[in-house]
């Protein structure tokens, strides 16, 4: 089955119709390019119509159109000729380079240039007249000229396409960077919001449960006092974060990030919420100051560990220990753990994920899970959060 010819483009149809009408007008007026030819003027209509039909294939089948157009032009040399036929041939030659394959685009200019030189030298050797050079020039204008023009246009188009592709790739990379930055910022905000508010909400949930379950006015009053305190502190933290997010003027300085100096107040709040907490700070009092990101991560990890202990730990002592080594800060939080039936306040598991993310962002190691506690009677279990945060000595020196 013979495949159907592709539908010609509108510009190809327009070129074909205009060229054919122009050629018919020249033929009707008796304007011919040659005289004393083997075939008469009427025979010139055959290559004219053939070339007009081939113009319809200049974009879709450029190489096949060029081969047939060359045959039609050779036939036209045996007739009186038509200027429109020659012009259509040059257009088909140009289209074969622009729309053809890369191999054809390289081969056609080389071939037409070789033919131009060969015709010029051959006619000079045969005629031995200067007019042979003019014929060679005309051959170059009809064949090599359109091919060279097609090479220039194709190179410009390919350069423009490559520039467009690079621009699209750059825009895609920029969009990917923007999306990653947005995702990282959202994760940071989620960690910060969770760490600031979860502790207060957990205390509220636990004490409200106690107030509802115990029929003791004094106990209920104490629980309501703790609930109010945690509500006020949680609202203050929320307002601080919302204020930072809404302020885009640059006039206000954001609130200072919490540091390990605030652990005493943090532990006091945990004791108010009912935890028996002790701090074992083995850092040297006159030791180098830690970088701000390390202090913030350590503070938030202790804060979240205390929140988890408030929700999950069994009655007993919670121990927070800090050890500063030359190149690392070690944080360890241990709380009693006896596989209770369920937490005293609901949780989503985001706390452990946030602590792990904070640790990994600084290149540290994070571990959590139950282990046998030598301090508890009968070898009870304890839930331990162990974190190692690397410290660059150069950063420490910069802080001094």
């Amino acid at each position: 089955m013979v495949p159907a010819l592709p539908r010609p483009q509108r510009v190809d149809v327009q070129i074909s119709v205009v060229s054919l009408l122009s050629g018919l007008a020249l033929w009707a007026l008796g304007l011919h390019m040659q005289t004393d030819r083997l075939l008469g003027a009427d025979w010139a209509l055959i290559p004219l119509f053939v070339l007009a039909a081939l113009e319809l294939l200049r974009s879709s089948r450029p190489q096949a159109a060029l081969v047939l157009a060359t045959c039609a032009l050779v036939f036209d040399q045996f007739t009186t000729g038509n200027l429109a036929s020659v012009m259509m041939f040059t257009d088909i030659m140009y289209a074969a380079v622009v729309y053809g394959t890369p191999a054809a685009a390289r081969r056609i200019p080389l071939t037409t240039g070789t033919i131009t030189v060969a015709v010029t030298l051959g006619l000079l050797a045969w005629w031995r007249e200067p007019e042979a050079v003019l014929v060679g020039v005309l051959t170059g204008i009809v064949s090599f000229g359109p091919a060279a023009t097609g090479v220039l246009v194709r190179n410009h188009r390919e350069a423009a396409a490559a520039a467009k592709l690079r621009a699209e790739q750059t825009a895609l990379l920029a969009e990917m960077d923007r999306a990653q930055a947005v995702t990282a910022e959202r994760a940071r905000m989620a960690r910060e919001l969770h760490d600031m508010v979860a502790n207060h909400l957990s205390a509220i949930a636990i004490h409200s449960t106690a107030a509802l379950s115990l029929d003791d006015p004094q106990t209920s009053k104490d629980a309501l006092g703790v609930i109010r305190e945690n509500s006020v502190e949680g609202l203050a933290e929320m307002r601080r974060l919302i204020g930072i997010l809404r302020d885009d003027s640059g006039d206000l300085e954001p609130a200072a990030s919490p540091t390990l100096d605030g652990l005493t107040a943090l532990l006091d709040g945990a004791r108010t919420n009912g935890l028996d907490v002790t701090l074992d700070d083995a850092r040297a009092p006159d030791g180098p100051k830690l970088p701000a990101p390390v202090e913030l991560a350590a503070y938030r990890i202790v804060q979240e560990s205390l929140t988890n202990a408030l929700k999950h730990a069994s009655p007993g002592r919670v121990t927070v220990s800090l050890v500063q080594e030359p190149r690392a800060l070690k944080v360890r939080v241990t709380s009693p753990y006896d596989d209770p039936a369920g937490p005293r306040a609901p949780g989503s598991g985001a706390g452990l994920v946030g602590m792990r993310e904070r640790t990994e962002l600084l290149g540290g190691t994070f571990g959590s899970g139950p282990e046998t506690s030598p301090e508890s009677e009968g070898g009870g279990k304890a839930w331990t959060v162990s974190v190692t945060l690397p410290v660059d000595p150069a950063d420490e020196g910069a802080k001094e």
Side-chain angles (χ1 to χ4, degrees):
M1 182 176 181
V2 179
L5 292 176
R7 185 183 182 88
Q9 298 184 14
R10 177 178 296 182
V11 64
D12 297 340
V13 175
Q14 293 173 348
I15 293 175
S16 176
V17 172
V18 172
S19 300
L20 179 60
L21 294 178
S22 301
L24 290 175
L26 293 174
W27 174 80
L29 293 174
L31 299 176
H32 308 296
M33 295 182 62
Q34 304 164 141
T35 57
D36 299 330
R37 294 296 174 177
L38 181 63
L39 302 176
D42 294 342
W43 288 93
L45 294 176
I46 296 178
L48 178 67
F49 278 95
V50 171
L51 288 167
L54 294 176
E55 284 281 18
L56 301 176
L57 304 177
R58 63 188 294 276
S59 300
S60 56
R61 299 288 180 85
Q63 293 175 246
L66 178 60
V67 173
L68 297 176
T70 303
C71 297
L73 186 66
V74 171
F75 180 83
D76 189 63
Q77 301 308 305
F78 294 94
T79 69
T80 55
N82 193 303
L83 180 61
S85 298
V86 177
M87 297 304 296
M88 284 190 287
F89 174 81
T90 58
D91 179 67
I92 293 174
M93 176 71 73
Y94 163 83
V97 176
V98 174
Y99 302 112
T101 62
R106 293 189 299 268
R107 184 175 61 250
I108 291 174
L110 180 62
T111 303
T112 54
T114 303
I115 291 174
T116 300
V117 173
V119 168
T120 303
L121 296 179
L123 291 179
L124 278 175
W126 183 18
W127 291 354
R128 299 182 184 277
E129 296 289 341
E131 288 80 1
V133 177
L134 296 178
V135 176
V137 171
L138 291 175
T139 303
I141 293 174
V142 173
S143 59
F144 179 73
T149 304
V151 169
L152 294 176
V153 173
R154 186 183 182 109
N155 290 340
H156 281 296
R157 288 186 177 182
E158 291 178 350
K164 181 180 179 182
L165 179 60
R166 286 194 298 269
E168 292 175 350
Q169 291 175 342
T170 302
L172 180 60
L173 291 175
E175 178 63 22
M176 292 175 62
D177 290 341
R178 187 196 68 81
Q180 291 177 355
V182 170
T183 301
E185 183 63 15
R186 290 178 61 183
R188 187 191 67 82
M189 291 170 56
R191 289 193 302 269
E192 198 71 12
L193 182 61
H194 178 275
D195 293 343
M196 286 193 306
V197 180
N199 182 51
H200 301 299
L201 294 181
S202 298
I204 291 172
I206 292 172
H207 285 279
S208 61
T209 302
L212 291 172
S213 60
L214 297 177
D215 189 12
D216 184 355
Q218 185 60 39
T219 302
S220 299
K221 183 178 180 180
D222 295 340
L224 290 175
V226 174
I227 290 173
R228 183 185 183 283
E229 181 181 350
N230 280 276
S231 300
V232 172
E233 292 178 359
L235 286 173
E237 295 283 3
M238 284 290 292
R239 289 194 185 100
R240 184 180 72 84
L241 180 60
I242 293 174
I244 294 175
L245 296 177
R246 285 183 173 176
D247 178 34
D248 57 356
S249 63
D251 297 333
L252 299 178
E253 290 292 334
S257 300
T259 64
L260 292 178
D261 294 336
L263 279 184
T264 301
L266 180 64
L267 268 59
D268 289 341
R271 295 187 186 100
T272 302
N273 292 330
L275 286 180
D276 180 12
V277 187
T278 60
L279 175 62
D280 181 13
D281 191 350
R283 297 178 299 158
D286 56 348
K289 187 172 178 60
L290 294 171
V294 174
E295 290 217 22
L296 174 61
Y299 181 92
R300 292 303 188 195
I301 288 170
V302 172
Q303 183 182 44
E304 180 58 30
S305 299
L306 294 178
T307 300
N308 289 341
L310 182 64
K311 293 191 292 185
H312 301 277
S314 302
R317 176 167 296 180
V318 179
T319 303
V320 178
S321 64
L322 301 174
V323 177
Q324 184 168 352
E325 298 179 349
R327 292 182 175 271
L329 172 68
K330 291 189 175 182
V331 181
R332 183 180 179 89
V333 182
T334 305
S335 57
Y337 176 75
D338 289 330
D339 294 320
R344 286 172 285 179
S348 62
L352 291 176
V353 174
M355 288 190 288
R356 185 180 298 276
E357 288 179 349
R358 288 185 184 276
T359 305
E360 291 177 351
L361 285 174
L362 296 177
T365 58
F366 174 83
S368 65
E371 62 181 25
T372 301
S373 175
E375 299 178 357
S376 50
E377 299 179 0
K381 289 185 178 180
W383 185 274
T384 301
V385 173
S386 180
V387 176
T388 301
L389 300 174
V391 177
D392 188 350
D395 291 340
E396 292 181 0
K399 293 286 183 181
E400 286 290 281

